[in-house]
Amino acid sequence: MGTGTEREGIPEISLTLREHNQSCFLEYDEGILNELAHPHLRVRICYPDGYERVYPVFQQNAGIYGEYSDYLRMHGCACCSLTSILAAMRRNLSGIKPQDTITQVEKNLLPRQDYEKNYSRPVEKQMPVTLYGISRILKQESIQCSYIMHFKRKTAMEVIDRHLCSGNPVIFETSRIRYKNNMIASVMDKKYAGSYHTMIMLGYDRDKRVIFTDSATRSWAGDVQRLKWAPLPELMDYMFPQRNTQSHPVYFHRRSDTGGFILVFSRDKIENLIQKNIDKLMIFPYN
């Protein structure tokens, strides 16, 4: 555990993955809560075998991204999340910043015509990379993942629960529509998204709360910003499946063409239960 260190002026906190009763949780010192309002934070996850992964977490409206600062302020949640995963999963990308993801990773790994069309528009009309686009990039970087496009909530919650309990992260998307018991309860609940918002579930804490990254600053969270905590059922209330499963845009187009979540395998072990339940869901069929 650790309360935080600094590298190159960037605060760093440590979370330790503990195994207990065939499950995993992230242990931390309460002192990390004092570090979570920074615009750039390094989150080091220490595994039982001594291996470590470092997730840089960025504030999208920090204004520190050069010519892409306005784009990241308006549309940057997906780019920030993608950057965090790439940096954690690939040593050669450990120092990558969101603007590098745009100018190098997206440019090189997404279809050139889609990339140029998106970024040739005025900045307010440029769109974020979709979950499909993120999963496509991860696959091309040989990062093992499963993009779940469409899901039933009960099954999806079981899959995500087992995935987190196995010590693996989940990239997920929320909207301002909140569900309750599979019915729409509110169409303007902005707790986790102004419109749509992409974040990363890093794992559970000892109390079975999800620890997740957030590039947005929420007034309700006070000084606890770059990492936040919430019960999985609550986060699931703001998640949504992709309705148009025949459409696979790499940049956001409309609500029916986005949604779902991405299971990222940061550890070699894949639980049989996870794979069994994944088979019940709709995964994008990669070639």
Side-chain angles (χ1 to χ4, degrees):
M1 292 184 295
T3 58
T5 59
E6 285 200 8
R7 175 181 169 183
E8 302 172 349
I10 301 170
E12 182 175 294
I13 64 172
S14 294
L15 309 176
T16 302
L17 191 74
R18 303 293 189 193
E19 296 179 331
H20 180 69
N21 290 339
Q22 299 183 324
S23 185
C24 296
F25 65 90
L26 294 170
E27 190 173 45
Y28 54 90
D29 190 293
E30 292 293 332
I32 71 169
L33 300 177
N34 299 322
E35 304 287 350
L36 300 182
H38 291 274
H40 186 181
L41 183 69
R42 290 167 53 87
V43 179
R44 182 180 300 274
I45 297 183
C46 306
Y47 294 89
D49 59 4
Y51 194 78
E52 298 179 342
R53 292 194 187 277
V54 179
Y55 294 80
V57 186
F58 305 92
Q59 178 185 347
Q60 64 187 82
N61 67 349
I64 57 176
Y65 309 111
E67 64 179 289
Y68 291 96
S69 290
D70 284 343
Y71 169 82
L72 285 157
R73 174 177 55 83
M74 290 185 277
H75 317 294
C77 59
C79 178
C80 288
S81 294
L82 173 57
T83 304
S84 295
I85 291 290
L86 290 172
M89 300 292 288
R90 288 289 170 263
R91 291 188 182 277
N92 65 313
L93 297 174
S94 62
I96 195 172
K97 304 292 192 302
Q99 62 267 41
D100 303 321
T101 298
I102 296 169
T103 59
Q104 298 173 31
V105 178
E106 290 183 29
K107 184 176 183 180
N108 294 333
L109 297 183
L110 294 180
R112 180 57 63 92
Q113 61 182 15
D114 294 323
Y115 177 86
E116 292 180 349
K117 180 178 180 180
N118 189 57
Y119 290 109
S120 66
R121 295 168 173 164
V123 66
E124 64 272 11
K125 294 186 178 181
Q126 294 170 16
M127 290 289 106
V129 63
T130 61
L131 289 186
Y132 164 66
I134 290 175
S135 69
R136 179 171 172 148
I137 287 171
L138 296 184
K139 290 282 187 178
Q140 291 181 85
E141 285 288 342
S142 299
I143 297 171
Q144 189 179 14
C145 67
S146 293
Y147 169 39
I148 312 300
M149 299 174 62
H150 190 78
F151 61 84
K152 299 293 185 181
R153 291 182 181 275
K154 182 178 184 297
T155 304
M157 192 175 303
E158 292 173 356
V159 168
I160 292 173
D161 174 65
R162 290 307 308 156
H163 195 70
L164 295 175
C165 285
S166 296
N168 291 297
V170 179
I171 305 172
F172 68 112
E173 188 171 9
T174 56
S175 78
R176 62 191 180 191
I177 298 176
R178 177 170 58 86
Y179 292 83
K180 201 69 177 177
N181 298 324
N182 293 319
M183 302 290 290
I184 294 177
S186 173
V187 296
M188 199 58 69
D189 187 325
K190 297 185 178 183
K191 183 173 184 178
Y192 294 112
S195 54
Y196 305 97
H197 195 54
T198 305
M199 299 176 281
I200 306 169
M201 301 181 191
L202 295 177
Y204 284 124
D205 70 2
R206 187 184 292 272
D207 298 320
K208 203 71 184 288
R209 296 179 302 169
V210 177
I211 303 174
F212 61 99
T213 69
D214 193 354
S215 60
T217 298
R218 309 290 182 190
S219 59
W220 57 264
D223 292 331
V224 182
Q225 292 293 341
R226 303 288 73 78
L227 293 185
K228 296 183 175 72
W229 282 251
L232 179 58
E234 178 175 321
L235 294 176
M236 288 292 306
D237 284 345
Y238 295 84
M239 293 170 60
F240 58 99
Q242 181 170 325
R243 292 202 303 266
N244 184 1
T245 56
Q246 302 305 309
S247 179
H248 314 116
V250 295
Y251 290 102
F252 180 84
H253 181 54
R254 55 180 177 263
R255 178 184 170 86
S256 62
D257 296 332
T258 191
F261 56 91
I262 304 171
L263 304 175
V264 180
F265 296 94
S266 62
R267 308 181 79 195
D268 291 337
K269 182 180 180 182
I270 301 178
E271 295 283 343
N272 290 333
L273 178 59
I274 293 178
Q275 193 59 55
K276 179 180 177 181
N277 282 341
I278 285 176
D279 292 340
K280 301 176 184 176
L281 305 174
M282 180 173 288
I283 307 174
F284 183 81
Y286 295 93
N287 294 325

